[in-house]
Amino acid sequence: MKLRYGPTSPYVRKVMVVAYESGLEQRIERIPTHVWAPDTDIAKDNPLGKVPALILDDGEVLYDSPVISEYLDSLSAGTTLFPAAGAARWKALKLQALADGVLDAAIARRHESQRPPERQDKALLERQANVMRRGMSALDAEAASWGDAVTIGQIAAAVACGYLDFRFAHEDWRPGRARLAAWYERFAKRPSMLATAPKE
Ligand SMILES: N[C@@H](CCC(=O)N[C@@H](CS)C(=O)NCC(=O)O)C(=O)O
């Protein structure tokens, strides 16, 4: 398998955490891909122009990160990151959607704030900042019941916390979110998280 990736993409980090948790990281050849380069060829593998994209050995290409994550989990012997059915499955998928939504808002805000100040859409910046705040508070409320569970929901939540530390370190998300902060402090020590920490 080949993974088209960017080194700081949190969605890529999510699939790599899944790969480590599933013992599959050695089976994934990584192809550095700069999706914002004018001459990028990412669209030949992903018409949406995004990473991550996973190229399977038979040439099939999977995207986006929830699909790739579930595929990798299906290859591992004891598939546990995506509960098979019932309430546990919906809970894990909802958590993943919540954490991915925080990432979507954080990235939209980051892109907008990189435009010249006079061309920035202040209403959009505020809207995305509110999504991030509400999303992190919802994760904090959910974290109370997580214990030591490791599903795609917790992995996505940890990646969202890590991305905010990486790109929004000036806006500490921890105050008022003690449950999520305590949970993340433990989860961030997992080998899968340590091996995938983003670097500039
Ligand atoms: N929903 C997608 C989001 C992927 C995504 O937005 N990746 C970013 C990198 S962090 C990207 O490739 N952006 C390029 C673009 O939006 O054109 C997923 O979960 O994989």
Side-chain angles (χ1 to χ4, degrees):
M1 291 179 280
K2 297 183 177 134
L3 182 71
R4 299 203 61 167
Y5 82 102
T8 58
S9 164
Y11 310 98
V12 168
R13 185 180 190 194
K14 187 174 60 161
V15 306
M16 285 310 299
V17 171
V18 168
Y20 276 93
E21 293 286 344
S22 310
L24 295 168
E25 80 280 3
Q26 300 288 350
R27 287 176 54 188
I28 300 176
E29 182 189 333
R30 281 173 250 188
I31 306 175
T33 302
H34 185 4
V35 288
W36 297 106
D39 61 347
T40 182
D41 67 347
I42 182 66
K44 81 179 169 58
D45 290 319
N46 180 355
L48 305 176
K50 296 179 189 222
V51 288
L54 185 71
I55 306 167
L56 307 185
D57 294 342
D58 65 2
E60 178 73 61
V61 184
L62 298 182
Y63 44 84
D64 53 12
S65 63
V67 177
I68 296 172
S69 298
E70 188 155 3
Y71 174 75
L72 292 176
D73 187 49
S74 79
L75 296 184
S76 87
T79 58
T80 53
L81 301 179
F82 285 79
R89 178 168 173 83
W90 304 126
K91 182 133 189 133
L93 292 183
K94 183 190 100 166
L95 270 182
Q96 175 178 221
L98 178 58
D100 283 3
V102 169
L103 289 176
D104 294 345
I107 287 175
R109 195 174 149 211
R110 188 172 141 77
H111 285 159
E112 189 64 21
S113 63
Q114 285 169 338
R115 286 153 55 88
E118 67 281 7
R119 288 174 52 198
Q120 291 178 12
D121 181 338
K122 301 285 181 260
L124 181 124
L125 285 169
E126 185 57 23
R127 186 177 173 82
Q128 302 303 342
N130 284 335
V131 171
M132 288 169 66
R133 274 193 285 276
R134 289 195 305 261
M136 291 303 280
S137 294
L139 287 175
D140 177 64
E142 298 277 351
S145 67
W146 290 347
D148 291 329
V150 183
T151 72
I152 190 62
Q154 283 79 30
I155 289 173
V159 168
C161 293
Y163 187 74
L164 265 51
D165 283 347
F166 180 53
R167 292 298 194 202
F168 292 83
H170 53 287
E171 288 175 18
D172 190 5
W173 52 268
R174 292 169 178 76
R177 301 190 184 103
R179 294 164 293 194
L180 186 62
W183 169 84
Y184 179 64
E185 195 175 331
R186 293 197 310 277
F187 200 92
K189 295 191 175 105
R190 294 181 76 81
S192 61
M193 290 293 291
L194 295 172
T196 56
K199 294 178 219 55
E200 274 302 353

